[in-house]
Amino acid sequence: MDRLTSMAVFVKAVDLGSFAAAADALEMSGPMVGKHVRFLEERLGVRLLNRTTRRQSLTETGQAYYERCRTVISEAEAADAVVAEELSEPRGRLRVTMPALLGRHCIAPLLMKLARRYPHLELDLSFGDPIANIIEGRYDLAIRTGDLHDQSGLMTRRIASQRMVVCGSRAYLRANGKPKSLDELAQHQAIIYRRSGRVRPWLFPREGQPPSEIMPAGRLRLDDLDAIAGAATKGMGLAWLPYWLVRERLRAGTLINLLSGQPGFLYDCHALWPRSPRMPLKVRVAVDALAAALPKLMT
C-alpha cells in the first residue's frame, strides 16, 4: 500500500474519532480504513490505536506518530498547491500603490499588458504622492523609489534602478553654453525640484566614495518633475531628471543629455508586499513582470 495515503487515512481516522467517520469522509469502506491503519502498524512494528467496539484512542507512540503525520500531510498538500498554482493563472483584484509619475509612465503600462494576458486578473491602481501605507491601505503591492524606511511586516525585492540625467534645451545651451564638468554646473541656471519644503541636491556617483552633492541654484522651484521637464524644454534652465521621464524628449532632440561622460546616479526601485507564508500568485506574476521589463524603461 502507499505509505502517504495510509498516513492520510490514519490522520483522518484520528481527527474524526472513528473508522466509520473516516470512511464516509474519504469515500471508502470501513474495512479499507482499518487495512490502511494495520499496514502502518505492521510496517512500524507498534500499535498506534487502542480500539474497542465503542471507542478508539491513540497509544503514546501513536500520538507522537500522529503529530508527525499531520506535518507530513500538510507539507505534501502545500507542495501540491504550489504545482497547481503554477498551472493556473492569476485571478482576482490586484491593488497596487505607486508614485504618480512613475506609475503613469512606466508601471501602469506594464501592468495593463499583464491584465491583457490574464483575463481573470483585475487591476486597482493608486497613483499617489505622498506614499500610502501598504498595510493600512490593504494594498497587495507597492512600488517605491529611493531609500526604504519602515519595512515591518513587508517583503521587498529590487526590480530596477532609476538613472538620473542632466539635460537642457538647445535654445538654453546656445544662449548659455554647455557645461563640460560638474564644477561648471554652478555657472548655470537650474530648475529646482522642491518637495515638502526641501530642495533635493543633484547627486553624482564616485567610485568607492559617497556621491558628490551639488545644490542647484536658480529662480524656478517646482514640486512636479513633469513640470520641470516642460520648463527645461522651453529653455528655462538645466534639469536633473529620471531618464524614463525625458526619454522621448531626448530622442526627439528637444532636450540634450549633458555630461554624458559622467555616470548617472541610480535610485533603486523596489516592489513591496505584505509578508505571508506564501506569496500570492497575482503578486508574484506582477513583480516578475515588472522586474523583467522595468530596467529597460528606467535606465
Side-chain angles (χ1 to χ4, degrees), residues 231-262:
T233 302
K234 293 177 180 178
M236 299 300 294
L238 303 183
W240 186 65
L241 292 167
Y243 169 76
W244 55 262
L245 181 59
V246 294
R247 177 178 56 245
E248 296 306 320
R249 290 180 170 97
L250 294 174
R251 288 175 180 171
T254 56
L255 284 177
I256 307 300
N257 185 8
L258 306 174
L259 304 175
S260 56
Q262 170 72 38

Side-chain angles (χ1 to χ4, degrees), residues 18-149:
S18 72
F19 284 11
D24 288 341
L26 297 172
E27 298 183 346
M28 63 175 61
S29 67
M32 180 57 70
V33 172
K35 189 173 182 180
H36 278 288
V37 174
R38 285 194 299 275
F39 165 74
L40 292 175
E41 290 180 328
E42 290 169 2
R43 185 179 184 281
L44 296 168
V46 297
R47 179 175 290 277
L48 299 173
L49 287 169
N50 292 315
R51 298 183 293 276
T52 67
T53 55
R54 293 178 174 268
R55 59 187 297 273
Q56 67 180 33
S57 61
L58 285 165
T59 64
E60 184 176 347
T61 302
Q63 180 66 46
Y65 188 69
Y66 165 74
E67 297 294 339
R68 291 289 185 176
C69 284
R70 286 189 62 183
T71 301
V72 170
I73 298 304
S74 177
E75 289 297 321
E77 290 174 349
D80 288 347
V82 168
V83 175
E85 190 175 77
E86 290 289 341
L87 297 175
S88 67
E89 66 176 48
R91 61 184 62 239
R93 181 180 300 178
L94 178 68
R95 301 193 68 228
V96 188
T97 176
M98 66 198 82
L101 269 180
L102 178 65
R104 288 199 299 269
H105 283 262
C106 298
I107 306 299
L110 295 177
L111 293 179
M112 298 294 180
K113 184 178 180 180
L114 196 69
R116 287 194 295 271
R117 180 179 176 186
Y118 297 111
H120 297 294
L121 181 66
E122 303 173 28
L123 295 180
D124 188 340
L125 307 183
S126 177
F127 303 84
D129 301 306
I131 294 172
N133 184 289
I134 302 169
I135 303 298
E136 291 180 5
R138 297 183 179 179
Y139 289 103
D140 301 300
L141 180 64
I143 308 301
R144 299 283 182 260
T145 57
D147 295 332
L148 297 178
H149 299 293

Side-chain angles (χ1 to χ4, degrees), residues 203-215:
L203 304 176
F204 299 90
R206 293 185 296 178
E207 188 173 352
Q209 300 181 61
S212 297
E213 293 189 10
I214 294 178
M215 189 59 69

